[in-house]
Amino acid sequence: MDLSRELWQANQDLAKACLHSPFVQGLARGTLPHHKFAYYVGQDAFFLETFARAYTVAAAKSPNWYGFETFHTLAHGALQELRLHQQYADRWRINLTEVQPGLATRRYVEFLMNTAWEESVGMTAIAMAPCMRLYAFLGQTLAKHDLPKHDYLEWIETYSDETFESLAQTLEDLVDRYAPEDPKLYSVYRYAMLCERDFFQMAWEWGDMDEQPGYALLS
């Protein structure tokens, strides 16, 4: 079994925890309060900027042209996701320029950038792969159901699409190509999965625009 698949299989408990979280189930049913989704969009946009930066750092550190080119391709994919978030923001009048990261977001982005700067290219790919594989898993799993028409179908369609699956597989190929012989890679992958779980939980628990920072309406 490839390392990327082994790591994913070893963290199925966290993948299922994300799938069955009230936030993701609310997305599936279309019952998620709009202000919680708006909070999530702002936090995820902040996170995606860091994700794109981590890709470019990894590209610069890549040992060969394949890695350099592939990491840049993945960075382009992250920028495409950011454009989708901007569309959400425009539709619901969210000011992404005033987003303040929540605790779970700060932990995640600091972990990613520290890994990108201080660790090998392979370890960076390991830290980033859980996000891509998890979102593909969530989108594909939710898309299997006969869902009613609602405001969040576009989110499900984006992450269940073959294009996103291809990006997830591309990143996992980098994991398999460049992973270092370092036992801590298992804990790095696990930590990223924990960050994903906490990110959804934060959006569910703290996505109240009247009480928490990180959500700003356009004036």
Side-chain angles (χ1 to χ4, degrees):
M1 182 185 297
D2 290 337
L3 176 62
S4 59
R5 184 55 49 183
E6 176 187 345
L7 290 167
W8 171 247
Q9 291 298 327
N11 288 277
Q12 285 299 289
D13 59 326
L14 293 175
K16 291 177 181 177
C18 292
L19 175 64
H20 295 296
S21 68
F23 185 90
V24 173
Q25 289 298 303
L27 282 176
R29 298 187 180 100
T31 57
L32 183 71
H34 281 185
H35 70 270
K36 289 182 182 289
F37 186 69
Y39 179 82
Y40 160 85
V41 168
Q43 295 296 306
D44 203 40
F46 187 94
F47 168 80
L48 281 170
E49 289 185 13
T50 299
F51 212 66
R53 292 176 190 276
Y55 275 141
T56 58
V57 172
K61 294 171 65 175
S62 292
N64 52 41
W65 182 258
Y66 175 83
F68 179 83
E69 185 175 33
T70 305
F71 276 116
H72 274 299
T73 298
L74 290 166
H76 177 73
L79 293 176
Q80 290 294 102
E81 272 192 83
L82 269 173
R83 292 188 183 98
L84 175 63
H85 283 56
Q86 186 60 61
Q87 291 174 18
Y88 288 138
D90 293 343
R91 188 181 311 158
W92 289 344
R93 299 184 61 78
I94 307 164
N95 190 344
L96 295 181
T97 65
E98 295 184 7
V99 169
Q100 296 297 316
L103 180 59
T105 307
R106 290 200 303 271
R107 285 176 178 165
Y108 204 172
V109 299
E110 288 171 3
F111 159 70
L112 282 181
M113 290 311 298
N114 286 340
T115 302
W117 284 112
E118 298 174 8
E119 300 286 350
S120 67
V121 166
M123 198 67 83
T124 301
I126 288 165
M128 300 180 76
C131 177
M132 298 293 287
R133 176 47 57 202
L134 177 65
Y135 271 65
F137 165 73
L138 295 175
Q140 292 168 23
T141 301
L142 297 181
K144 291 177 182 178
H145 300 281
D146 186 17
L147 301 173
K149 290 190 178 299
H150 56 65
D151 290 338
Y152 308 124
L153 280 180
E154 186 178 6
W155 188 95
I156 296 170
E157 290 167 354
T158 295
Y159 295 113
S160 62
D161 189 80
E162 291 181 0
T163 301
F164 192 81
E165 170 63 25
S166 177
L167 290 172
Q169 290 181 4
T170 297
L171 182 52
E172 288 174 332
D173 176 65
L174 294 173
V175 169
D176 297 329
R177 283 173 178 263
Y178 299 125
E181 293 185 4
D182 189 334
K184 76 176 180 182
L185 61 85
Y186 295 95
S187 62
V188 167
Y189 193 100
R190 180 78 177 177
Y191 187 80
M193 287 291 291
L194 288 167
C195 287
E196 290 290 340
R197 181 202 63 185
D198 293 348
F199 192 88
F200 285 125
Q201 190 65 22
M202 175 191 67
W204 176 256
E205 292 181 351
W206 302 104
D208 192 326
M209 63 181 176
D210 294 325
E211 299 178 4
Q212 295 297 326
Y215 177 97
L217 291 176
L218 290 168
S219 58

